[in-house]
């Protein structure tokens, strides 16, 4: 087991190193950041001074060396545009993104499992068919389009909910949160639904497939024979049996929801990390782009590493299988 | 399927496939719609009332007019006009053309690269196999949208750059599928027999192994073309896709977005309806092909 952990850890570190090189070189290759930092009427001397100050006159490998060294010390550099440390900038935007992602994942899980279990118990009712239709829609319609329709319907036509921004926030532990105020809550409803829709569709499908399988199993047959009411069977037995694959997928999807938040945040002008990165790409704010990509890569490597370890703990075949290969 | 009497003459398998396909009404309609959309996209220059790329023919006097408005061109804009004064129907037809073109191009290149990698990995085995499949699996653990987003941001705007980003984000699905099919085909006797002959291994891999991996690859290809189109639209909406001069469907939607707040819904809504019709039609066709090719669903 220890060998397996070490092997996986080395692999994770290698992936991170490769990713940081790719990201650094890739971001370096686009545009000339000097043009956005200094005014167009600057003299040649001012230009060269700016290039030197930003370290852009050094060879590429040396820039990477400095970058990697700083990275290992938790220093992601300063934003060219905002002139504040990048980590501070991203950290300031992170609560908004986390708030949005967590609320929509929670919404997707609770609603998705409820609808999916219903569709699994009564596969032939018209409501189940409507639910499955909804899930097909959630899979194939691009999420930015759903966001537009939500805005058009609930913000423009009906005027029930605001179309963008975070609304009022309450500061707890020095961090502003939207979901604690009524106004903030009304701002989060539409983006959360938008972000949740894809996960919702997936949860419905998984829960329905699991429920249909479990409902035919001996467990349910004997529980019914013992005279346990149907509702109790569902809550106590079916839900427990279908939860294992659901939790796995739920964990894996956490990362991809963060990625999809880029789209949702842009549509609803939600001031999170995703909006920051899109804006930074627009103005070629290199340090912000690099830091975001490295952090996202790190997050995914960590998620995969954890999933590998958990699976290896549960299923010893994976451990021995890897050693044999 | 029990009522089918043994055929007198051998019916071509493709015809049998089509007969079964036709039986699913929804899929048949979706296929018809897909063909129709591809047709109008290919012949857009002949069908569209206006050339939306000819900036000289556009008049800002006609901009943002509602559906049914008769503009300075002397004809009625059935779907209204966009912020630049383009006839929206023409812009949608041309946009459809670009979306389909990008989708098919990205899908075909990703198929070629992915299938080759998957089959070669399955055939060669050893360290080549572990290297290729490790990279593929690693990539599959990242969401495709993130990869496409990052790459198109790094590569910049343009058709070639966009296709590159989409291919890089999607080839792994083909590689996984081809690898899975090829590893099971590889063990079958006909491959062993072919390898025992003096035929060159490359010929066996590409003329015998690869064609037998085709069914699952066809299914993945339809799904991936739909998803390329959707990804392209998303990237264009975020301003990372194609240059503004030749708007795809996603770009048209994005252009209309700021005007939606003031009730000028049509600029965004109609291109979006077209986009969804296209994606859903392709997906339904893909679903039906998958069901028909899946031996487990056969009785």
């Amino acid at each position: 087991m220890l060998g397996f952990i070490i092997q996986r850890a080395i692999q994770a570190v290698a992936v991170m190193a490769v990713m940081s090189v790719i990201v650094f070189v890739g971001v370096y290759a686009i545009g000339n950041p000097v043009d956005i930092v200094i005014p167009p009427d600057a003299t040649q001397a001012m230009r060269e001074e700016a290039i030197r100050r930003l370290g852009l006159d050094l060879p590429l490998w040396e820039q990477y060396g400095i970058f990697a060294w700083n990275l290992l010390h938790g220093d992601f550099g300063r934003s060219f545009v905002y002139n504040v440390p990048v980590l501070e900038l991203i950290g300031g935007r992170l609560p908004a993104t986390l708030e949005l992602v967590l609320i929509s994942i929670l919404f997707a899980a609770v609603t998705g499992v409820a609808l999916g279990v219903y569709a699994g118990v009564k596969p032939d009712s018209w409501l189940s068919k409507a639910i499955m239709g909804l899930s097909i829609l959630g899979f194939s319609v691009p999420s930015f389009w759903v966001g537009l329709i939500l805005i058009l319907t609930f913000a423009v036509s009906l005027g029930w909910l605001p179309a963008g921004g975070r609304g009022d926030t309450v500061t707890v532990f020095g961090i502003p949160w939207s979901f604690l105020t009524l106004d903030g809550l009304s701002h989060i409803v539409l983006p959360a639904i938008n972000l949740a829709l894809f996960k919702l569709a997936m949860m419905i499908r998984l829960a329905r497939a699991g429920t249909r399988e479990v409902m035919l199993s001996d467990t349910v047959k004997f529980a019914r024979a013992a005279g346990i009411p149907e509702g109790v069977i569902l809550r106590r037995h079916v839900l427990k049996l279908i939860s294992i694959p659901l939790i796995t997928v739920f964990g894996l999807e956490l990362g991809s929801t963060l990625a999809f938040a880029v789209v949702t945040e842009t549509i609803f002008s939600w001031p999170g990390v995703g909006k920051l990165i899109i804006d930074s790409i627009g103005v070629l704010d290199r340090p912000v782009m690099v830091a975001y990509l490295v952090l996202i890569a790190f997050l995914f490597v960590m998620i995969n590493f954890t999933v590998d370890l958990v699976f290896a703990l549960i299923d010893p075949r994976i451990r021995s299988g890897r050693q044999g290969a | 399927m029990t009522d089918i009497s043994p055929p007198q003459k051998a019916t071509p398998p493709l015809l049998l496939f089509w007969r079964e396909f036709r039986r699913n009404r929804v899929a048949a309609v979706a296929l018809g719609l897909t063909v129709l959309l591809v047709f109008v996209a290919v012949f857009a220059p002949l069908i569209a009332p206006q050339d939306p790329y000819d900036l000289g023919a556009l008049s800002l006097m006609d901009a943002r007019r509602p559906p049914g408005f008769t503009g300075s061109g002397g004809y009625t804009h059935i779907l209204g006009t966009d912020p630049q004064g383009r006839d929206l129907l023409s812009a949608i037809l041309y946009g459809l053309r670009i979306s389909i073109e990008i989708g098919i191009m990205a899908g075909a290149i990703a198929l070629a690269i992915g299938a080759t990698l998957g089959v070669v990995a399955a055939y060669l085995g050893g360290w080549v196999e572990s290297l290729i499949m490790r990279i593929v699996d690693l990539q599959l653990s990242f969401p495709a949208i993130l990869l496409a987003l990052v790459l198109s941001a790094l590569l910049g705007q343009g058709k070639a750059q966009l296709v590159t980003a989409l291919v890089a984000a999607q080839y792994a699905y083909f590689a996984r599928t081809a690898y899975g099919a090829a590893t099971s085909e590889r063990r079958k006797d006909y491959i062993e027999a072919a390898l025992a002959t003096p035929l060159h291994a490359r010929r066996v891999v590409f003329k015998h192994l690869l064609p037998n991996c085709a069914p699952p690859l066809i299914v993945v290809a339809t799904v991936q073309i739909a998803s390329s189109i959707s990804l392209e639209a998303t990237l264009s909406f975020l301003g990372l896709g194609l240059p503004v001069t030749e708007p795809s469907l996603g770009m048209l939607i994005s252009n209309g977005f700021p005007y939606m707040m003031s009730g000028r819904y049509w600029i965004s809504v109609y291109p979006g309806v077209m986009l969804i019709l296209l994606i859903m039609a392709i997906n339904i066709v893909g679903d039906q092909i998958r069901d028909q090719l899946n031996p487990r669903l056969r009785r």
Side-chain angles (χ1 to χ4, degrees):
Chain A
M1 188 64 199
L2 188 67
F4 178 76
I5 295 177
I6 292 172
Q7 186 204 341
R8 279 294 143 132
I10 291 173
Q11 201 180 324
V13 171
V15 168
M16 270 320 291
V18 172
M19 288 299 276
S20 74
V21 174
I22 293 175
V23 165
F24 183 79
V25 173
V27 175
Y28 183 88
I30 50 165
N32 186 356
V34 181
D35 294 337
I36 53 158
V37 187
I38 53 175
D41 54 347
T43 61
Q44 191 61 27
M46 281 166 75
R47 238 184 117 78
E48 271 157 23
E49 158 61 22
I51 291 174
R52 212 173 10 260
R53 191 162 38 83
L54 295 170
L56 296 170
D57 55 339
L58 300 170
L60 195 51
W61 61 269
E62 218 174 308
Q63 285 190 45
Y64 175 75
I66 296 170
F67 163 77
W69 181 252
N70 290 338
L71 214 60
L72 291 173
H73 292 78
D75 178 6
F76 285 77
R78 293 176 88 85
S79 158
F80 289 164
V81 176
Y82 301 95
N83 198 27
V84 290
V86 171
L87 221 49
E88 213 171 89
L89 196 61
I90 291 182
R93 298 290 198 101
L94 203 57
T97 298
L98 283 181
E99 179 177 58
L100 181 62
V101 166
L102 289 179
I103 286 179
S104 50
I105 283 200
L106 226 65
F107 169 74
V110 173
T111 329
V113 169
L115 292 178
V117 168
Y118 178 84
V121 173
K122 293 185 177 154
D124 295 319
S125 84
W126 64 268
L127 190 59
S128 302
K129 284 185 179 136
I131 291 171
M132 292 320 286
L134 180 83
S135 89
I136 292 174
L137 223 65
F139 267 124
S140 47
V141 176
S143 90
F144 77 94
W145 170 251
V146 177
L148 291 189
I149 294 302
L150 285 176
I151 290 181
L152 189 61
T153 314
F154 293 102
V156 179
S157 295
L158 298 172
W160 290 352
L161 293 164
R166 266 188 97 176
D168 296 338
T169 53
V170 172
T171 306
V172 181
F173 303 122
I175 300 165
W177 300 101
S178 283
F179 73 100
L180 296 172
T181 68
L182 206 60
D183 182 55
L185 214 54
S186 74
H187 278 82
I188 211 171
V189 171
L190 289 184
I193 290 177
N194 183 208
L195 190 57
L197 211 65
F198 186 81
K199 310 293 158 211
L200 182 69
M202 194 163 59
M203 283 290 166
I204 289 176
R205 295 209 150 194
L206 284 171
R208 175 175 176 267
T211 307
R212 290 195 72 176
E213 225 167 83
V214 174
M215 287 309 276
L216 298 173
S217 69
D218 290 344
T219 317
V220 172
K221 226 178 280 172
F222 281 110
R224 276 185 185 144
I228 300 174
E230 203 72 356
V232 178
I233 296 179
L234 279 182
R235 271 196 308 276
R236 208 177 283 163
H237 300 286
V238 176
L239 215 54
K240 206 178 270 178
L241 283 168
I242 63 168
S243 64
I244 297 156
L246 285 180
I247 291 171
T248 315
V249 174
F250 188 83
L252 284 173
E253 287 298 319
L254 196 74
S256 82
T257 312
L258 268 174
F260 271 104
V262 172
V263 179
T264 303
E265 285 177 8
T266 308
I267 300 169
F268 291 93
S269 356
W270 188 259
V273 183
K275 180 105 176 59
L276 175 71
I277 184 66
I278 290 290
D279 294 344
S280 301
I281 289 172
V283 295
L284 293 179
D285 194 348
R286 272 208 261 157
V288 179
M289 289 163 71
V290 171
Y292 174 81
L293 296 179
V294 168
L295 286 176
I296 283 279
F298 181 69
L299 181 78
F300 271 91
V301 167
M302 284 317 287
I303 290 175
N304 288 333
F305 183 60
T306 317
V307 168
D308 274 352
L309 284 192
V310 171
F311 280 167
L313 275 176
I314 298 170
D315 189 347
R317 273 175 307 178
I318 295 175
R319 268 174 281 162
S320 55
R322 294 283 188 207
Q323 277 155 7
Chain B
M1 296 271 292
T2 44
D3 57 329
I4 293 178
S5 53
Q8 305 300 315
K9 278 182 290 183
T11 325
L14 222 57
L15 192 64
L16 281 176
F17 194 85
W18 163 239
R19 279 187 192 152
E20 198 186 330
F21 192 96
R22 213 172 36 182
R23 223 171 294 154
N24 183 342
R25 288 278 165 76
V26 179
V29 170
L31 182 66
L33 185 63
T34 311
V35 172
L36 179 76
L37 289 179
V38 171
F39 182 83
V40 296
V42 170
F43 293 103
L46 301 176
I47 301 169
Q50 185 196 57
D51 178 3
Y53 302 152
D54 182 8
L55 294 176
L58 304 180
S59 163
L60 280 179
M61 293 289 290
D62 296 336
R64 302 189 295 279
R65 298 296 188 169
F69 170 81
T70 305
S72 55
Y75 51 87
T76 306
H77 300 290
I78 303 169
L79 299 181
T81 60
D82 83 345
Q84 279 83 44
R86 287 192 189 96
D87 174 48
L88 203 56
L89 177 64
S90 311
I92 289 175
L93 291 178
Y94 275 77
L96 187 67
R97 203 178 150 92
I98 294 178
S99 291
I100 292 178
E101 186 188 332
I102 299 270
I104 290 180
M105 227 152 58
I109 299 173
L111 171 69
I113 296 176
T116 308
L117 282 177
V119 171
V120 166
Y123 170 74
L124 287 178
W127 67 269
V128 180
E129 179 185 17
S130 357
L131 180 71
I132 293 178
M133 293 323 289
R134 268 289 153 80
I135 294 174
V136 164
D137 282 341
L138 183 75
Q139 227 198 293
L140 285 177
S141 64
F142 286 83
I145 175 131
L146 194 67
L147 279 168
L149 188 83
V150 168
L151 278 171
S152 55
L154 297 183
L155 297 170
Q157 287 192 330
K159 213 181 256 181
Q161 287 91 325
L162 182 64
V163 171
T164 311
L166 291 176
V167 168
Q170 300 200 306
Y171 83 94
Y173 295 92
F174 290 102
R176 235 298 121 234
T177 311
Y179 174 77
T183 35
S184 73
E185 289 296 317
R186 171 87 174 82
R187 288 193 214 100
K188 291 187 181 163
D189 288 342
Y190 73 94
I191 294 292
E192 292 297 334
L195 285 171
T197 64
L199 284 177
H200 198 282
R202 195 189 303 151
R203 195 183 154 87
V204 177
V205 168
F206 288 103
K207 291 261 161 149
H208 299 274
L209 190 55
L210 188 57
N212 282 293
C213 302
L217 283 174
I218 292 170
V219 175
V220 176
T222 42
V223 176
Q224 289 302 318
I225 286 177
S227 111
S228 301
I229 292 172
S230 167
L231 264 182
E232 183 275 322
T234 306
L235 293 179
S236 292
F237 179 78
L238 293 174
L240 295 168
L242 294 165
V244 199
T245 45
E246 295 189 7
S248 67
L249 290 177
M251 182 80 70
L252 288 173
I253 297 170
S254 163
N255 286 344
F257 184 43
Y259 301 99
M260 225 169 65
M261 299 296 173
S262 50
R264 295 189 180 92
Y265 64 91
W266 59 90
I267 309 174
S268 277
V269 168
Y270 291 134
V273 169
M274 187 60 109
L275 180 71
I276 285 164
L277 280 180
L278 179 65
I279 293 173
M280 287 196 80
I282 298 177
N283 274 334
I284 293 171
V285 171
D287 270 358
Q288 177 64 19
I289 297 178
R290 185 186 57 210
D291 287 351
Q292 270 181 249
L293 290 177
N294 187 351
R296 259 182 256 150
L297 290 178
R298 294 205 164 271
R299 280 149 288 167

